[in-house]
Every structure is written in structure tokens, then in C-alpha cells.
Amino acid sequence: MWRFHKYFGKELLTNLGLTFLMLFGIALLSVVARGIEHASGANIVWALLIALLLAIDTVPHLLNISLLLATVFTFSRSAAENEITALRMAGISPIRLMGSVLFVGAFVAAINCFLIHNVIPYVHYKKYRVIEPLVQQLLSSRETTNNSWEIGGNSLRWRRSDGNRYEGLIFKKPERDGHRIEGFAAYAERTTDRSKRILTLTLHDVRLFRYERLDDGALSLENQGLEAHLSLSVDLEELLGKNQREEGEKDVSTVQLVSEYARGGSKRPGYTSWLIHDRNSRGLAGLLFAIVGFPIGLLMRRAGRGAAVAFSLLPLGLYYLLHIVVNRALATSLGASWPAYLPLLGLFGLAWLLLHRAYRR
């Protein structure tokens, strides 16, 4: 029996790898435009890196879909070529072939659990945060274009630059009361803080002018005189438009979530508990997708791969309907965590029905 498990397991893994590479390639191509948009003018290398981070976020879903299709393809081919019939005639029940299915399904589930609990939260955090080399590339590209910046509402122009030093500056700085300050500076120096997030320009030998709008709509100019230093700061994440959301539970690994929940440090304990169980559920889904794909392959032996793929939409649709719609809605309305396992129960019920029908034939 080990030879059969090895034979089908090898074919399963081959189909799984090919299907995953195809789906991941499609996912990567679909987010390249978003990567270029998020790169905000930086070179293509950083745009592709951002697109890769966006695509990695979909890997657990792609692994599950690839495993389902790989199982269907493997056993529909085996059934169409009468290998399953030959095994039955030899007195070997097809149910014994599920050993290879369970092994590959458990293997994919283990990979998914690791990704969902540890890697995906980090990727989810990183894809919304500025990468410092990307910021430097962006600043350099703007400097070489026209010796000017428009950052954080501040407008700057300079005569010449040398590394982090700029000479002969003209600048505009808005104020919270709606007024603005304009001026000249002999030179400026650029620095960033330890987090590489806050960029600061320190201007030296500054002459300031303050513009104030009067009640009749006219502008009043006031000479503020000379100042030795003036600092202009900007958040680099805001500069690249990546700071549209605050850090949340989805950006934290499961170990950290469990630790916060256990010591009562979670701001939303109900949501945190549900999210932990939801990650467990999504990680284990691959095993059930493999089990569901096995009877589909047996039942689709004469229908061809097109029909097999079309029939595979049934478990996929059921799973994502329960996962996206029913799961979160029930968890929110009931204030409980157990709805996170409803998608698994739905797949288990469907697998039982399909296995029963396949073996009755």
C-alpha cells in the first residue's frame, strides 16, 4: 500500500506546485498596478517589492484552492484511466488511497498555520508601512527632477544640493490657523529619526515672512525678521500615502494575541478571541479541501477537467460564503468565537455527502 501512497502523493504534490505557481503568478500580476501606485514614483524594483508583499497576503487562500484542484485533477485522471477500477478488482478499497490525501492535506495545513499565525500578520503590517530605502529613492528622484519638494504641505526649492545638505532655499510652510509662512534660508540639513519615519529639515540663517488673510479678503504681509534655525518635519508614511490605517490585531502574530488576551490587555477581547479561532480555522481548511477534492475526482472521472474545475466551485463557494458572510456576522451578533469553525463544519458535511455518493457507485 505504501507504493500507492507514494505514487499518488507524488502526483498530488506535483499538481499542487504547478497549480499554486500559476495562481500566484496571476495574483502577482493583478497587484502590480497597485504596487506601482504605492511606490509613488520610485523605481520598478521597489514597486515589484510592494506588489510581492500584497501578493503574499493571498498565499494561504491560493494554497487551499491549489490543493483542492490538485486533488480533483489527480483522482479524476486516475479514475478516468481505470486505475481506481483496477484497485477495486484487486480487492483494495479506494478509501485506503486517502492516506496520501491526508498526508498532503496535513502538510499544506501545517504550512498554512505557520503562515497565518506568524508570517501573514507581519506582511499585513509591512505592506501598509513605508520602506526606508523606498523613501530615499523617492526623495532622490524628486531632487533630481527640479530641485523641489512638496511634502507634508511644505513647499521647498533650492539652488543646489550635496547629499543631505541644500543651499539657497525658498520655502513655504502652512500654519494651523490657515495662515502661511514663507521665507529664505542660506542652507538646510536633512535628518531622520531612529525609526526612519520622521524626516526633519533644519534651516539655517532664515528670513521669515508671514501672510495673513484680512476680513476683506486681502493678504497682509508681515516681516518676521531673521532667525538662526527653523525645523520642518514630515511623517514619511504620510508622504507616501501609506498611513491610512492604524495598527490593529491583524498586524500582530497569534502568540502576541494570545498573550494579550490572557493577561487582559486586549482592547477588544471578543474580537481578539474570534480572530485567534478564525486563524486556526483558516489554517486547518487545507486538510478538508483535500478530503473534499478526493470524492469530486472520483465522481468526475468521465466529465473532463473543465467539469471537474467547475464542480470544485461548489466547495469553494460554500467555504467562502460561510467564512466571509456567516462567520463574522454570527460572531458579531452572538459575541462568540465558535462561528469561526462554521466553514470547517460546512466542508466536513459536504465531504461526507460526496464520499458517501462516490463509494455507493
Side-chain angles (χ1 to χ4, degrees):
M1 216 39 224
W2 167 247
R3 291 184 178 179
F4 292 112
H5 293 325
K6 184 179 179 181
Y7 171 72
F8 286 107
K10 183 178 180 181
E11 186 175 350
L12 260 175
L13 290 172
T14 302
N15 288 335
L16 171 63
L18 293 175
T19 307
F20 174 77
L21 287 176
M22 181 186 68
L23 294 179
F24 184 76
I26 294 172
L28 186 58
L29 289 175
S30 68
V31 296
V32 165
R34 289 177 59 192
I36 294 174
E37 179 184 355
H38 284 222
S40 301
N43 62 32
I44 190 63
V45 175
W46 294 110
L48 291 177
L49 178 58
I50 294 175
L52 182 61
L53 289 174
L54 294 171
I56 288 175
D57 207 15
T58 66
V59 166
H61 299 289
L62 298 181
L63 278 174
N64 288 337
I65 296 172
S66 300
L67 179 58
L68 173 63
L69 295 177
T71 308
V72 171
F73 290 161
T74 298
F75 289 98
S76 63
R77 181 209 59 78
S78 179
E81 295 180 5
N82 296 318
E83 292 179 354
I84 303 297
T85 304
L87 288 173
R88 291 191 185 210
M89 293 177 66
I92 300 175
S93 173
I95 194 69
R96 299 180 65 182
L97 298 178
M98 287 195 66
S100 58
V101 175
L102 294 175
F103 172 78
V104 176
F107 174 70
V108 172
I111 294 176
N112 260 350
C113 285
F114 175 76
L115 292 175
I116 290 171
H117 290 303
N118 300 284
V119 179
I120 298 302
Y122 174 77
V123 172
H124 196 271
Y125 170 83
K126 201 66 178 177
K127 72 182 182 181
Y128 288 106
R129 299 305 189 275
V130 170
I131 304 170
E132 174 61 13
L134 175 59
V135 175
Q136 297 300 333
Q137 170 67 29
L138 173 64
L139 296 179
S140 299
S141 66
R142 291 190 177 182
E143 289 173 10
T144 57
T145 303
N146 53 9
N147 283 2
S148 66
W149 283 344
E150 292 285 345
I151 53 176
N154 302 306
S155 174
L156 300 100
R157 282 183 171 274
W158 56 88
R159 186 176 67 254
R160 61 185 297 269
S161 63
D162 182 13
N164 293 332
R165 180 184 171 94
Y166 307 89
E167 298 180 358
L169 286 94
I170 302 173
F171 64 90
K172 297 179 182 179
K173 177 185 177 183
E175 292 187 309
R176 293 183 178 179
D177 58 3
H179 305 147
R180 76 174 189 268
I181 289 178
E182 297 184 7
F184 307 90
Y187 67 97
E189 296 174 322
R190 187 182 78 199
T191 58
T192 55
D193 66 346
R194 290 183 178 180
S195 67
K196 304 296 183 182
R197 171 176 170 174
I198 304 300
L199 181 146
T200 302
L201 279 174
T202 304
L203 286 69
H204 301 269
D205 300 333
V206 180
R207 176 174 292 277
L208 293 176
F209 299 91
R210 187 171 187 268
Y211 286 85
E212 181 178 356
R213 187 169 294 278
L214 304 178
D215 294 337
D216 59 1
L219 285 177
S220 172
L221 174 63
E222 179 182 352
N223 190 340
Q224 300 287 104
L226 292 171
E227 291 191 13
H229 306 288
L230 178 66
S231 294
L232 302 178
S233 298
V234 63
D235 189 322
L236 296 179
E237 292 187 359
E238 182 181 352
L239 168 63
L240 288 182
K242 301 294 193 305
N243 198 26
Q244 302 301 317
R245 58 187 290 280
E246 296 181 357
E247 181 180 347
E249 289 89 342
K250 290 184 178 180
D251 304 310
V252 181
S253 69
T254 303
V255 173
Q256 292 175 278
L257 284 180
V258 172
S259 176
E260 290 180 4
Y261 182 77
R263 69 170 186 264
S266 175
K267 297 180 180 179
R268 299 185 293 173
Y271 175 77
T272 302
S273 175
W274 171 82
L275 183 59
I276 294 170
H277 290 285
D278 182 63
R279 288 180 178 179
N280 291 331
S281 173
R282 287 187 286 134
L284 296 173
L287 179 59
L288 284 168
F289 272 118
I291 296 174
V292 169
F294 178 66
I296 292 177
L298 298 182
L299 291 170
M300 295 287 108
R301 61 183 181 272
R302 296 175 182 172
R305 287 198 170 188
V309 171
F311 196 85
S312 299
L313 296 177
L314 174 61
L316 286 174
L318 175 65
Y319 174 80
Y320 283 104
L321 174 65
L322 293 175
H323 175 68
I324 296 174
V325 180
V326 180
N327 171 10
R328 185 66 185 275
L330 273 180
T332 303
S333 61
L334 300 178
S337 301
W338 62 263
Y341 297 100
L342 279 177
L344 296 185
L345 292 175
L347 284 180
F348 181 81
L350 181 61
W352 186 86
L353 290 174
L354 292 174
L355 284 170
H356 181 69
R357 182 174 179 82
Y359 286 111
R360 284 189 62 183
R361 286 191 175 187

